[in-house]
Amino acid sequence: MIIEMFRKSGRLLQTAVGVYRRGIARSNQHSPAFGVLFDIDGVLVRGTTLIPAAKEAFRLLLDKNGKFRAPVVFVTNAGNCVRQARAQQLSAILEVEIPQDQVILSHSPLRMFHRFHDKQVLVSGQGPVAEIAKNVGFQHIITIDMIREAFPQLDVVDHSRRPKHLPPPKMDFPQIEAVILFGEPVRWETNLQLIIDVILSDGKLASAPHVVPYPHIPVLACNMDLLWVTEATMPRFGHGTFLVCLENIFKKITGLELRYEALIGKPSIITYKYAECVLRQQAMKRGWTAPIQRLYAIGDNPMADIYGANLYNQHIQAACGDQVHAQVKGHKVMETLKEESVVLKYFKPEEELPLGAADWCKSILVCTGMYRRYNEMPSDPEESVVETVFHGHRDFCFDPSLVEPSWIVEDVKEAVELIYKEEGWV
């Protein structure tokens, strides 16, 4: 009888524990303590084609009212439009309403760079670049076409565009104080030539420079992706390829390194910091009171999505006083982390973006885009990986630990299921 009483009490205890755990899970779902960062191209879509698993993933992400069950942002290195247009395009493809406040383009963190907003800036890219620049806060905007119109003799690679009659030089053309590179342009030869001209002339295009100014005027670049995926059978050139051209032309002409005031977009720390602030803002608007302690970043590109999430995790741990640097192979990672952290001096969030710090950021790699399972990765960073494997930007060192995801899953549906399992939302 005594044994039977213990058995019954044990079953009652197990039942009570189960109810308690389910109660915690339900409570957590009302006020989630985590946020999710989704890449777009290669994770949700390929070009304008929906990846089938994305549809199933969104069934898990949305509640019965069509609202997200947890804080979610969509972080893409695309940047040839304003975020409202990208949100509308994504909403149409996914058949789910995506507010523009949840879309982070490569240039979105430039909203925080108030120091440059009142300067005369040259903007390069494609699409409505002047509108994009104005949308993120710049007030005095000069485009490549404006330079071509004022100084047609500078753009002569295409013989059909060479002027037949040269106008007098525009001596009143404003001095350019900074260069903002939003994304890959359409006419690379024109943009490369005129951007180099601006840098070499210290922004004074009406007169020839006597010496090469160095340090040169500030250059801020968004989107470092060397390649990206569309419906094509092979990856396509990204803005990172354009930057490789610009850097090497400048070095060949001057013998000097082109220096960036800031590199923005994944894998930059500042992009992940901005995304975390947006997640917190979203949680506040939804009335979720639990602080966001855990971040999950889902992507298809080891050199951008995974590298960036892992680098941001290093930054979080370092800020918390953890000596993670000692655990990372190679001192170059420490240098990258230090240089990236310096850029945060420009990060002055607007009042509506709450600051805070998560406990960690973990990376989830999907196999529907740039990455394919069983790709071999050299474990020794001293090997010739820069030319053969590493597609990251020149100013970001290669280290195997930074491109190693926390998890590898087949697609975005499996990624969401994994997050729910980790959070006890199963």
Side-chain angles (χ1 to χ4, degrees):
M1 182 179 294
I2 294 175
I3 294 174
E4 185 62 28
M5 285 174 60
F6 272 114
R7 284 177 179 170
K8 287 182 178 179
S9 62
R11 286 195 293 269
L12 285 171
L13 180 60
Q14 287 178 346
T15 302
V17 169
V19 170
Y20 175 72
R21 284 176 175 170
R22 287 193 294 274
I24 289 179
R26 283 195 294 270
S27 174
N28 286 344
Q29 290 190 45
H30 290 305
S31 190
F34 67 96
V36 186
L37 292 74
F38 285 92
D39 182 31
I40 297 177
D41 294 299
V43 174
L44 303 176
V45 300
R46 290 178 69 95
T48 57
T49 303
L50 180 69
I51 293 174
K55 199 81 171 177
E56 300 174 52
F58 272 79
R59 291 195 185 99
L60 300 172
L61 289 167
L62 301 175
D63 63 19
K64 61 182 180 181
N65 299 315
K67 301 290 186 181
F68 285 100
R69 298 172 62 193
V72 165
V73 290
F74 302 91
V75 187
T76 175
N77 270 349
N80 59 353
C81 63
V82 295
R83 58 179 180 170
Q84 181 181 4
R86 188 61 165 146
Q88 290 173 346
Q89 181 192 45
L90 195 58
S91 298
I93 296 173
L94 294 170
E95 297 180 353
V96 172
E97 184 182 354
I98 307 294
Q100 65 171 345
D101 293 344
Q102 288 179 243
V103 176
I104 298 174
L105 304 176
S106 60
H107 50 67
S108 295
L110 286 173
R111 296 172 183 276
M112 307 296 101
F113 284 64
H114 304 291
R115 170 183 163 184
F116 296 95
H117 287 174
D118 62 350
K119 294 186 181 297
Q120 295 278 356
V121 297
L122 170 66
V123 296
S124 168
Q126 59 180 287
V129 288
E131 181 186 356
I132 292 169
K134 185 177 180 181
N135 186 264
V136 296
F138 295 103
Q139 302 163 29
H140 308 290
I141 301 158
I142 298 169
T143 65
I144 292 291
D145 286 340
M146 290 167 66
I147 293 180
R148 285 193 65 250
E149 184 178 348
F151 305 98
Q153 70 275 19
L154 296 181
D155 182 24
V156 295
V157 172
D158 186 342
H159 289 213
S160 66
R161 302 205 323 168
R162 289 184 178 182
K164 294 179 181 178
H165 305 287
L166 291 178
K170 284 214 170 191
M171 304 305 293
D172 61 344
F173 195 82
Q175 179 179 350
I176 296 169
E177 300 172 279
V179 177
I180 313 296
L181 307 175
F182 284 128
E184 63 271 23
V186 175
R187 280 186 168 266
W188 286 31
E189 80 284 356
T190 296
N191 287 60
L192 288 168
Q193 177 70 77
L194 298 186
I195 292 168
I196 292 289
D197 288 341
V198 167
I199 296 172
L200 293 180
S201 67
D202 205 29
K204 305 166 191 171
L205 288 169
S207 57
H210 298 294
V211 294
V212 175
Y214 203 79
H216 52 68
I217 63 173
V219 178
L220 293 83
C222 310
N223 182 1
M224 296 161 271
D225 286 352
L226 189 77
L227 303 167
W228 66 294
V229 294
T230 66
E231 296 92 341
T233 55
M234 293 181 290
R236 304 291 84 196
F237 289 160
H239 191 219
T241 307
F242 179 82
L243 297 180
V244 169
C245 297
L246 183 67
E247 293 155 10
N248 283 280
I249 292 170
F250 182 81
K251 186 170 185 178
K252 193 71 173 178
I253 292 173
T254 66
L256 301 167
E257 295 281 356
L258 181 71
R259 307 307 303 172
Y260 294 97
E261 193 76 10
L263 288 163
I264 304 163
K266 296 176 292 187
S268 170
I269 284 176
I270 202 163
T271 292
Y272 287 84
K273 185 68 175 177
Y274 183 81
E276 184 182 352
C277 290
V278 173
L279 286 168
R280 294 184 186 283
Q281 177 193 47
Q282 188 183 146
M284 287 175 61
K285 286 182 177 179
R286 293 288 301 274
W288 291 325
T289 56
I292 295 178
Q293 299 172 321
R294 300 173 292 280
L295 301 175
Y296 298 91
I298 304 172
D300 70 303
N301 189 336
M303 303 301 173
D305 305 309
I306 305 308
Y307 187 114
N310 291 343
L311 187 66
Y312 189 56
N313 188 56
Q314 300 276 4
H315 168 75
I316 291 172
Q317 304 309 319
C320 292
D322 256 352
Q323 297 301 314
V324 283
H325 300 68
Q327 301 171 17
V328 180
K329 296 178 183 178
H331 67 282
K332 289 186 177 180
V333 176
M334 290 183 269
E335 293 173 6
T336 298
L337 190 61
K338 183 178 178 180
E339 290 174 8
E340 274 285 282
S341 297
V342 168
V343 178
L344 290 173
K345 67 185 177 183
Y346 297 121
F347 192 82
K348 300 187 183 300
E350 299 157 344
E351 291 182 3
E352 66 271 18
L353 281 183
L355 284 170
D359 293 338
W360 47 251
C361 177
K362 291 190 176 181
S363 54
I364 305 175
L365 182 62
V366 299
C367 304
T368 50
M370 287 289 296
Y371 176 78
R372 294 290 184 271
R373 282 188 190 271
Y374 315 117
N375 285 357
E376 291 187 6
M377 183 74 68
S379 58
D380 184 357
E382 298 304 317
E383 292 182 25
S384 182
V385 295
V386 174
E387 291 82 7
T388 59
V389 175
F390 186 49
H391 291 169
H393 187 267
R394 176 200 69 186
D395 293 353
F396 288 76
C397 75
F398 173 79
D399 188 281
S401 67
L402 290 179
V403 294
E404 186 68 34
S406 305
W407 299 280
I408 300 177
V409 296
E410 194 61 35
D411 54 42
V412 67
K413 175 179 176 285
E414 287 190 15
V416 174
E417 290 173 339
L418 170 66
I419 293 170
Y420 282 5
K421 181 179 178 182
E422 290 293 310
E423 293 295 321
W425 280 29
V426 178

mmCIF file of all heavy atoms in Angstrom, residues 313-330:
data_model
loop_
_atom_site.group_PDB
_atom_site.id
_atom_site.type_symbol
_atom_site.label_atom_id
_atom_site.label_comp_id
_atom_site.label_asym_id
_atom_site.label_seq_id
_atom_site.Cartn_x
_atom_site.Cartn_y
_atom_site.Cartn_z
ATOM 1 N N ASN A 313 27.771 37.745 -32.135
ATOM 2 C CA ASN A 313 27.786 36.993 -30.875
ATOM 3 C C ASN A 313 29.087 37.239 -30.119
ATOM 4 O O ASN A 313 29.081 37.405 -28.896
ATOM 5 C CB ASN A 313 27.607 35.499 -31.149
ATOM 6 C CG ASN A 313 27.429 34.703 -29.867
ATOM 7 O OD1 ASN A 313 26.553 34.972 -29.066
ATOM 8 N ND2 ASN A 313 28.309 33.721 -29.663
ATOM 9 N N GLN A 314 30.205 37.284 -30.858
ATOM 10 C CA GLN A 314 31.490 37.608 -30.229
ATOM 11 C C GLN A 314 31.426 38.987 -29.582
ATOM 12 O O GLN A 314 31.913 39.204 -28.473
ATOM 13 C CB GLN A 314 32.612 37.589 -31.284
ATOM 14 C CG GLN A 314 32.814 36.271 -31.994
ATOM 15 C CD GLN A 314 33.702 35.324 -31.206
ATOM 16 O OE1 GLN A 314 34.102 35.628 -30.094
ATOM 17 N NE2 GLN A 314 33.996 34.177 -31.776
ATOM 18 N N HIS A 315 30.810 39.945 -30.301
ATOM 19 C CA HIS A 315 30.684 41.308 -29.786
ATOM 20 C C HIS A 315 29.845 41.328 -28.506
ATOM 21 O O HIS A 315 30.201 42.007 -27.533
ATOM 22 C CB HIS A 315 30.044 42.202 -30.851
ATOM 23 C CG HIS A 315 29.613 43.536 -30.341
ATOM 24 N ND1 HIS A 315 30.504 44.547 -30.057
ATOM 25 C CD2 HIS A 315 28.380 44.024 -30.042
ATOM 26 C CE1 HIS A 315 29.850 45.602 -29.611
ATOM 27 N NE2 HIS A 315 28.555 45.314 -29.593
ATOM 28 N N ILE A 316 28.740 40.600 -28.496
ATOM 29 C CA ILE A 316 27.873 40.541 -27.309
ATOM 30 C C ILE A 316 28.649 39.988 -26.119
ATOM 31 O O ILE A 316 28.615 40.546 -25.024
ATOM 32 C CB ILE A 316 26.634 39.664 -27.580
ATOM 33 C CG1 ILE A 316 25.692 40.341 -28.590
ATOM 34 C CG2 ILE A 316 25.885 39.381 -26.279
ATOM 35 C CD1 ILE A 316 24.547 39.443 -29.038
ATOM 36 N N GLN A 317 29.363 38.867 -26.344
ATOM 37 C CA GLN A 317 30.095 38.234 -25.248
ATOM 38 C C GLN A 317 31.205 39.147 -24.737
ATOM 39 O O GLN A 317 31.433 39.244 -23.530
ATOM 40 C CB GLN A 317 30.676 36.886 -25.699
ATOM 41 C CG GLN A 317 29.655 35.901 -26.243
ATOM 42 C CD GLN A 317 28.476 35.684 -25.332
ATOM 43 O OE1 GLN A 317 28.641 35.583 -24.125
ATOM 44 N NE2 GLN A 317 27.276 35.636 -25.888
ATOM 45 N N ALA A 318 31.884 39.825 -25.657
ATOM 46 C CA ALA A 318 32.959 40.735 -25.257
ATOM 47 C C ALA A 318 32.397 41.890 -24.440
ATOM 48 O O ALA A 318 32.987 42.323 -23.440
ATOM 49 C CB ALA A 318 33.686 41.261 -26.489
ATOM 50 N N ALA A 319 31.234 42.395 -24.851
ATOM 51 C CA ALA A 319 30.596 43.494 -24.128
ATOM 52 C C ALA A 319 30.169 43.060 -22.737
ATOM 53 O O ALA A 319 30.106 43.869 -21.812
ATOM 54 C CB ALA A 319 29.393 44.008 -24.908
ATOM 55 N N CYS A 320 29.880 41.767 -22.582
ATOM 56 C CA CYS A 320 29.471 41.233 -21.277
ATOM 57 C C CYS A 320 30.675 40.910 -20.396
ATOM 58 O O CYS A 320 30.522 40.438 -19.273
ATOM 59 C CB CYS A 320 28.633 39.971 -21.456
ATOM 60 S SG CYS A 320 27.031 40.282 -22.214
ATOM 61 N N GLY A 321 31.873 41.124 -20.949
ATOM 62 C CA GLY A 321 33.073 40.878 -20.161
ATOM 63 C C GLY A 321 33.668 39.512 -20.354
ATOM 64 O O GLY A 321 34.670 39.179 -19.738
ATOM 65 N N ASP A 322 33.061 38.699 -21.239
ATOM 66 C CA ASP A 322 33.611 37.371 -21.515
ATOM 67 C C ASP A 322 34.855 37.504 -22.379
ATOM 68 O O ASP A 322 34.861 38.248 -23.347
ATOM 69 C CB ASP A 322 32.588 36.521 -22.289
ATOM 70 C CG ASP A 322 31.925 35.504 -21.391
ATOM 71 O OD1 ASP A 322 32.370 35.384 -20.248
ATOM 72 O OD2 ASP A 322 30.972 34.856 -21.864
ATOM 73 N N GLN A 323 35.887 36.774 -22.070
ATOM 74 C CA GLN A 323 37.108 36.825 -22.868
ATOM 75 C C GLN A 323 37.022 35.816 -24.010
ATOM 76 O O GLN A 323 37.813 34.890 -24.118
ATOM 77 C CB GLN A 323 38.325 36.537 -21.978
ATOM 78 C CG GLN A 323 38.536 37.573 -20.890
ATOM 79 C CD GLN A 323 38.721 38.965 -21.457
ATOM 80 O OE1 GLN A 323 39.471 39.147 -22.408
ATOM 81 N NE2 GLN A 323 38.051 39.953 -20.887
ATOM 82 N N VAL A 324 36.018 35.998 -24.882
ATOM 83 C CA VAL A 324 35.868 35.058 -25.991
ATOM 84 C C VAL A 324 37.012 35.173 -26.963
ATOM 85 O O VAL A 324 37.308 34.245 -27.701
ATOM 86 C CB VAL A 324 34.548 35.323 -26.759
ATOM 87 C CG1 VAL A 324 33.372 34.782 -26.025
ATOM 88 C CG2 VAL A 324 34.399 36.791 -27.074
ATOM 89 N N HIS A 325 37.656 36.348 -26.993
ATOM 90 C CA HIS A 325 38.749 36.541 -27.947
ATOM 91 C C HIS A 325 39.795 35.441 -27.807
ATOM 92 O O HIS A 325 40.354 34.973 -28.787
ATOM 93 C CB HIS A 325 39.419 37.893 -27.713
ATOM 94 C CG HIS A 325 38.499 39.057 -27.859
ATOM 95 N ND1 HIS A 325 37.482 39.300 -26.982
ATOM 96 C CD2 HIS A 325 38.436 40.028 -28.805
ATOM 97 C CE1 HIS A 325 36.841 40.389 -27.351
ATOM 98 N NE2 HIS A 325 37.382 40.852 -28.451
ATOM 99 N N ALA A 326 40.061 35.036 -26.556
ATOM 100 C CA ALA A 326 41.093 34.040 -26.327
ATOM 101 C C ALA A 326 40.700 32.685 -26.884
ATOM 102 O O ALA A 326 41.551 31.840 -27.138
ATOM 103 C CB ALA A 326 41.367 33.924 -24.827
ATOM 104 N N GLN A 327 39.402 32.480 -27.093
ATOM 105 C CA GLN A 327 38.940 31.188 -27.590
ATOM 106 C C GLN A 327 38.920 31.132 -29.109
ATOM 107 O O GLN A 327 38.704 30.083 -29.694
ATOM 108 C CB GLN A 327 37.536 30.922 -27.050
ATOM 109 C CG GLN A 327 37.453 30.911 -25.536
ATOM 110 C CD GLN A 327 36.018 30.866 -25.057
ATOM 111 O OE1 GLN A 327 35.123 30.530 -25.825
ATOM 112 N NE2 GLN A 327 35.794 31.198 -23.805
ATOM 113 N N VAL A 328 39.120 32.259 -29.758
ATOM 114 C CA VAL A 328 39.033 32.316 -31.210
ATOM 115 C C VAL A 328 40.416 32.116 -31.809
ATOM 116 O O VAL A 328 41.381 32.726 -31.369
ATOM 117 C CB VAL A 328 38.456 33.678 -31.666
ATOM 118 C CG1 VAL A 328 38.369 33.730 -33.186
ATOM 119 C CG2 VAL A 328 37.082 33.887 -31.055
ATOM 120 N N LYS A 329 40.494 31.273 -32.804
ATOM 121 C CA LYS A 329 41.778 31.016 -33.442
ATOM 122 C C LYS A 329 42.193 32.218 -34.281
ATOM 123 O O LYS A 329 41.439 32.683 -35.135
ATOM 124 C CB LYS A 329 41.693 29.786 -34.345
ATOM 125 C CG LYS A 329 41.400 28.491 -33.606
ATOM 126 C CD LYS A 329 41.286 27.342 -34.586
ATOM 127 C CE LYS A 329 40.933 26.051 -33.885
ATOM 128 N NZ LYS A 329 40.769 24.936 -34.836
ATOM 129 N N GLY A 330 43.414 32.713 -34.062
ATOM 130 C CA GLY A 330 43.930 33.775 -34.921
ATOM 131 C C GLY A 330 43.641 35.156 -34.365
ATOM 132 O O GLY A 330 42.518 35.484 -34.021
#
